[in-house]
Amino acid sequence: MRDQMGLSSEAPLCPWHYADTLNVIVFEATDLDLDPEHAEQLLVKDSSSWSGMTLFEEGVYVVVLNSAHSRERRAATLMHELAHIILEHVPADVDVSPSGLVLLSDFSRDQEDEADWLGGALLLPEAALTKSRYSGISIIDIAKKYGVSEQLCSWRCKMTGVEKRLSFRQRS
């Protein structure tokens, strides 16, 4: 995927640019013409209950992101949603809005886990994490460079074994 975009295996991958290459349209919730009471419910009162959603209409994917979340969180959410599309996941439940939009929802736990893993790997490739951590770059600085949260960066470093290998290397 990085090759297709002309990026090295260690270069940061912007989810918004990647969405463009996949012809996926991305909106922030604040871009939508929501009634003020609905916007307040989604973005203020209940903003922690959702991160993003994917719509599919006439062969076009649209991802809507929660504007109340940080840019780093929205980047991870967008890449997660793109991972579902790339992996051609079929939701266990599909809802149709009153206007006829298809709302993809309720993926299986396995599909959610796959999207988490692929989304994380696209944002933070193991090779980049290994090179950065072995060079002494902190998780905080890696997260800043790749435009993700420290929590996601830490999770990827642990799940890929980078931190364990670094620990063994430092003890030697």
Side-chain angles (χ1 to χ4, degrees):
M1 295 171 189
R2 280 185 165 69
D3 285 346
Q4 293 171 358
M5 294 181 67
L7 299 172
S8 74
S9 62
E10 297 169 7
L13 174 60
C14 173
W16 287 269
H17 292 147
Y18 188 49
D20 286 343
T21 67
L22 296 174
N23 296 314
V24 174
I25 300 168
V26 181
F27 287 109
E28 301 287 333
T30 53
D31 295 333
L32 305 176
D33 187 22
L34 298 172
D35 289 338
E37 71 180 73
H38 294 144
E40 183 177 352
Q41 182 66 39
L42 288 171
L43 301 173
V44 178
K45 293 179 182 176
D46 208 15
S47 68
S48 63
S49 70
W50 73 287
S51 297
M53 67 175 158
T54 299
L55 308 164
F56 184 69
E57 179 68 18
E58 297 181 14
V60 177
Y61 285 99
V62 176
V63 174
V64 179
L65 300 173
N66 186 334
S67 320
H69 291 175
S70 69
R71 179 161 175 89
E72 294 82 7
R73 171 80 182 269
R74 292 192 320 269
T77 298
L78 177 53
M79 199 59 88
H80 175 92
E81 294 298 321
L82 295 176
H84 280 304
I85 294 167
I86 294 163
L87 294 167
E88 299 179 352
H89 284 163
V90 177
D93 185 29
V94 177
D95 296 319
V96 178
S97 74
S99 65
L101 286 175
V102 177
L103 307 172
L104 308 180
S105 60
D106 293 336
F107 289 101
S108 72
R109 183 73 255 155
D110 286 345
Q111 288 178 331
E112 288 296 339
D113 289 345
E114 286 178 352
D116 283 344
W117 278 92
L118 180 57
L122 289 168
L123 288 168
L124 294 163
E126 184 177 350
L129 293 174
T130 301
K131 183 176 181 180
S132 295
R133 292 298 285 143
Y134 282 28
S135 297
I137 300 172
S138 71
I139 286 177
I140 293 168
D141 289 337
I142 296 168
K144 285 179 187 173
K145 177 180 179 180
Y146 287 87
V148 300
S149 68
E150 293 171 34
Q151 294 83 3
L152 178 59
C153 188
S154 181
W155 178 77
R156 282 287 297 155
C157 285
K158 288 176 186 168
M159 292 297 110
T160 58
V162 168
E163 289 302 298
K164 187 168 277 210
R165 292 191 307 270
L166 179 62
S167 175
F168 288 143
R169 183 178 185 190
Q170 290 171 339
R171 283 192 253 155
S172 313

